[in-house]
Amino acid sequence: MAILFSDSTYRADNIFAALQSVLPDLRKFPDTGNREEIEYAVIWYPQAGSLRDLPNLKAIFSVAAGVDGIMNDTTLPDVPLIRTVDDGLTQGMVEYAIYNVLRFHRHFHLYDRQQHGSEWKQHPQIRPQNRRIGVMGLGEMGRAVAEALVALKFDVRGWSRSPKEITGIKTFVGEKALTDFLSQTEILINVLPLTTETRGILNAKTLGALPDGAFLINAGRGAHMVDGDVLAALNSRKLTAAALDVFTPEPLAPESPFWKHPTVTVTPHIASITDFSAVARNIINNIKLLKNGQIPAGLVDRQRGY
Amino acid sequence: MAILFSDSTYRADNIFAALQSVLPDLRKFPDTGNREEIEYAVIWYPQAGSLRDLPNLKAIFSVAAGVDGIMNDTTLPDVPLIRTVDDGLTQGMVEYAIYNVLRFHRHFHLYDRQQHGSEWKQHPQIRPQNRRIGVMGLGEMGRAVAEALVALKFDVRGWSRSPKEITGIKTFVGEKALTDFLSQTEILINVLPLTTETRGILNAKTLGALPDGAFLINAGRGAHMVDGDVLAALNSRKLTAAALDVFTPEPLAPESPFWKHPTVTVTPHIASITDFSAVARNIINNIKLLKNGQIPAGLVDRQRGY
């Protein structure tokens, strides 16, 4: 049994090395060796067509929670596609979201600026019960983020494509409820999967539906944002500030206006960092499940795209 | 029934105005009017001797959770002394602690610096189960902080003068256990009350007991720190970084080296901001309890100092 790794990003070599320490006979595209030996593929953003002509391919594993890197590849073989579901990934996202919510909620972005001018000035402390947070996307990650915010006593709302029930939060479903959801959201956290429907969802229209002076936290994908619309909303003070972890393309270009924008916090796609040896161990477990005819967690519905 | 307000800090006028909107016949020292009419006093850091010669004084209320501002006043009348116990204060402290723990735990202090140089570089994500946090002080605030950190899956230890039991954390008791506690603490959070025993507790010896490269979060009082020792520990990299919210004196002097130190985050005593109208309503409730012979929450043990 051989496994083929295919990724076209700047991180491919590092990911390959980390996976190789756990997975036996892992090959890196285009060095496939005998293509008949390859039974599984591991990908993030694979080279187009790299998974064609693998006659014995049984399944494809994404090293990430998202599979947006592969859904546009029309040459993708019709085998089970399994994304990564990992406690560590979810926990990382919860930490990123909580940190940035507290940063805006308690004005730490202002205190940081004041420190540069040795300025001692307090800002009002709002009770979390009076702070309305909106979570876009209520999968494993969004649900965990919403629950952690409820535990901290925030007033939490959630929006998703399909109906979800989460104790202590009001949920909104589908396109029609989006404006209503946004109009009640002071701090918006995006953890949606990237699909045809969600691409560009952070645009002039949706940002315009937020209350004036709202905050944006984007930990989904860079392509959820229409970059110019986000910048315009910041410049007009529609958005007070934004914490952005994901960009198009990555790494974020040195000349991007996001780096130097006074009300933008840039982090280098670290909201939830994959532990690739954990991913590799997970893949080994999932291969066992598939061999036993069981369905692993993270099986992707290709119609929905996640 | 009249109430006397006495505070010598730079915030006295603001606090008086906020209390006055709720409390009837509130007088500001030294404008006592007829001293026989005064039955209660409300203080933070009162003028020395300001509560003497009040023949009908029945109780003294501190607007703060701490009463360190009053314990050295040997002229303090022997009436019940009640500090503020308030959900909002505790919640504010939890938010401050969680924010700063996540900031250090997830390297956000480094990402902020990298943004200035448009540098895209990821740092390892450590699982919270492998991050050892130590909470000094396990009263209402310390307990709430410890519990919130346990909920986020951190490896939490606590230290206090008297034995405490908190689910999910290992507790250390008293002077003898302090070094042992510190040696196991990567991120130290101080929320102790300021007493004779705890003054200067953050000094060369105790900071030296931490693992190399530890982090300090001080949300107790400025006088818990020996300022020069904290700066020396930062300069020698014994401490990687510190988040400091309290200082001696306040406001922090513009020439203080803390403002410009590259590994210090200064906030202007905002970890937990008092809602003075809530404090005033609380005082009214506590006066009712005292009149009925009941003991209000927050009754201070003068021997212990909290």
Side-chain angles (χ1 to χ4, degrees):
Chain A
M1 175 191 97
I3 302 176
L4 181 65
F5 175 70
S6 174
D7 177 35
S8 59
T9 75
Y10 70 102
R11 299 182 61 196
D13 286 342
N14 287 341
I15 297 173
F16 181 70
L19 294 172
Q20 210 177 21
S21 66
V22 177
L23 295 175
D25 200 357
L26 185 70
R27 304 171 187 180
K28 185 162 179 288
F29 184 83
D31 304 325
T32 55
N34 180 349
R35 303 178 71 87
E36 294 193 352
E37 292 167 2
I38 293 172
E39 298 185 27
Y40 300 96
V42 177
I43 55 98
W44 189 21
Y45 288 83
Q47 279 88 350
S50 57
L51 304 186
R52 270 191 307 202
D53 305 326
L54 300 171
N56 296 312
L57 190 70
K58 294 190 172 70
I60 302 167
F61 298 96
S62 167
V63 297
V67 289
D68 48 293
I70 200 174
M71 298 312 286
N72 293 329
D73 185 346
T74 54
T75 70
L76 208 65
D78 187 22
V79 296
L81 176 59
I82 296 123
R83 62 196 183 79
T84 293
V85 178
D86 178 63
D87 277 358
L89 276 181
T90 304
Q91 181 62 27
M93 185 62 78
V94 168
E95 292 172 352
Y96 176 87
I98 297 292
Y99 171 81
N100 281 293
V101 164
L102 291 176
R103 183 169 173 82
F104 294 143
H105 170 59
R106 293 296 303 278
H107 317 291
F108 288 107
H109 61 300
L110 299 180
Y111 295 127
D112 280 356
R113 236 181 290 165
Q114 287 178 201
Q115 185 173 353
H116 289 126
S118 305
E119 188 187 358
W120 182 277
K121 183 184 166 193
Q122 301 183 321
H123 300 280
Q125 178 179 324
I126 295 167
R127 293 196 177 226
Q129 291 88 342
N130 298 328
R131 182 70 83 175
R132 295 172 302 169
I133 320 281
V135 181
M136 290 180 96
L138 297 173
E140 290 90 2
M141 285 187 180
R143 172 184 292 268
V145 166
E147 288 173 344
L149 289 167
V150 167
L152 287 171
K153 304 193 167 68
F154 285 102
D155 183 5
V156 185
R157 289 159 178 72
W159 179 83
S160 58
R161 197 181 127 169
S162 55
K164 307 270 178 175
E165 269 191 36
I166 301 176
T167 308
I169 86 165
K170 185 176 179 196
T171 54
F172 297 73
V173 185
E175 183 98 30
K176 280 187 185 162
L178 183 56
T179 305
D180 199 17
F181 162 77
L182 292 170
S183 72
Q184 299 176 36
T185 291
E186 287 172 80
I187 302 179
L188 177 64
I189 307 168
N190 173 42
V191 287
L192 284 166
L194 184 63
T195 65
T196 314
E197 283 85 13
T198 67
R199 183 174 293 271
I201 196 168
L202 300 171
N203 56 44
K205 191 182 158 210
T206 52
L207 297 174
L210 293 168
D212 287 346
F215 297 89
L216 170 64
I217 299 170
N218 188 18
R221 288 281 182 259
H224 283 131
M225 300 193 288
V226 177
D227 288 2
D229 289 2
V230 171
L231 285 165
L234 288 160
N235 292 337
S236 71
R237 306 262 177 116
K238 178 71 190 181
L239 287 176
T240 299
L244 308 178
D245 187 54
V246 287
F247 303 91
T248 312
E250 291 178 8
L252 184 61
E255 64 274 15
S256 165
F258 287 129
W259 282 117
K260 303 288 182 202
H261 199 287
T263 57
V264 172
T265 304
V266 170
T267 47
H269 201 146
I270 52 79
S272 142
I273 292 185
T274 304
D275 173 348
F276 289 104
S277 48
V279 167
R281 287 191 299 271
N282 209 22
I283 288 172
I284 288 176
N285 283 335
N286 283 340
I287 288 175
K288 278 185 202 153
L289 290 176
L290 288 167
K291 282 186 176 168
N292 293 335
Q294 295 172 279
I295 296 171
L299 184 69
V300 171
D301 176 335
R302 293 201 187 195
Q303 282 298 327
R304 292 190 310 175
Y306 57 92
Chain B
M1 175 190 96
I3 302 176
L4 181 65
F5 175 70
S6 174
D7 178 35
S8 59
T9 75
Y10 70 101
R11 299 181 63 195
D13 286 342
N14 287 341
I15 297 173
F16 180 71
L19 293 172
Q20 210 177 20
S21 64
V22 178
L23 294 176
D25 200 355
L26 185 70
R27 304 172 186 180
K28 186 162 178 289
F29 183 84
D31 303 324
T32 55
N34 179 350
R35 303 178 70 88
E36 294 193 354
E37 291 167 3
I38 293 172
E39 297 185 27
Y40 299 95
V42 178
I43 55 98
W44 190 20
Y45 287 83
Q47 279 89 347
S50 56
L51 304 187
R52 269 192 306 201
D53 305 325
L54 300 170
N56 295 313
L57 189 70
K58 294 190 172 69
I60 301 168
F61 297 96
S62 167
V63 296
V67 289
D68 49 292
I70 200 174
M71 297 311 287
N72 294 327
D73 185 346
T74 53
T75 69
L76 208 65
D78 186 21
V79 297
L81 176 59
I82 297 124
R83 63 196 183 80
T84 293
V85 178
D86 179 62
D87 278 357
L89 275 182
T90 304
Q91 181 62 26
M93 185 62 78
V94 167
E95 292 172 352
Y96 176 87
I98 297 292
Y99 170 81
N100 281 293
V101 164
L102 291 175
R103 182 167 173 83
F104 293 143
H105 171 59
R106 294 295 304 279
H107 317 291
F108 288 107
H109 60 301
L110 299 180
Y111 294 127
D112 280 357
R113 237 181 288 166
Q114 287 178 201
Q115 185 173 354
H116 289 126
S118 306
E119 187 188 0
W120 183 277
K121 183 184 166 194
Q122 301 183 322
H123 299 281
Q125 179 180 325
I126 295 167
R127 293 195 178 227
Q129 291 87 342
N130 297 328
R131 181 70 84 176
R132 294 172 303 169
I133 319 281
V135 181
M136 290 180 97
L138 297 173
E140 290 92 1
M141 286 188 179
R143 173 184 292 267
V145 166
E147 287 173 344
L149 290 167
V150 167
L152 287 171
K153 303 193 168 64
F154 285 102
D155 183 5
V156 185
R157 288 159 178 72
W159 180 84
S160 58
R161 196 181 128 168
S162 55
K164 306 271 178 175
E165 269 189 36
I166 301 176
T167 308
I169 86 165
K170 185 177 179 196
T171 54
F172 297 73
V173 184
E175 182 100 31
K176 280 187 185 160
L178 183 55
T179 305
D180 199 17
F181 162 77
L182 293 169
S183 71
Q184 299 176 36
T185 290
E186 287 172 79
I187 302 178
L188 177 64
I189 307 168
N190 174 42
V191 288
L192 283 167
L194 183 62
T195 66
T196 315
E197 283 85 13
T198 66
R199 183 173 294 270
I201 197 168
L202 300 171
N203 56 44
K205 190 181 159 213
T206 52
L207 298 174
L210 294 167
D212 287 345
F215 297 89
L216 170 65
I217 299 170
N218 188 18
R221 287 281 182 261
H224 283 130
M225 300 193 289
V226 177
D227 289 1
D229 289 2
V230 171
L231 286 164
L234 287 160
N235 292 337
S236 71
R237 305 261 177 118
K238 179 70 189 182
L239 287 176
T240 299
L244 308 179
D245 187 54
V246 286
F247 302 92
T248 313
E250 291 178 8
L252 183 61
E255 64 274 16
S256 165
F258 287 128
W259 282 117
K260 303 288 183 202
H261 199 287
T263 57
V264 171
T265 305
V266 170
T267 47
H269 202 147
I270 52 77
S272 142
I273 292 185
T274 304
D275 172 349
F276 289 105
S277 48
V279 167
R281 287 190 300 270
N282 208 21
I283 287 172
I284 289 176
N285 283 336
N286 283 341
I287 287 175
K288 278 185 202 154
L289 289 177
L290 287 168
K291 282 186 175 168
N292 293 335
Q294 293 171 281
I295 296 171
L299 184 69
V300 171
D301 176 335
R302 294 200 186 195
Q303 281 299 328
R304 293 190 309 174
Y306 57 93

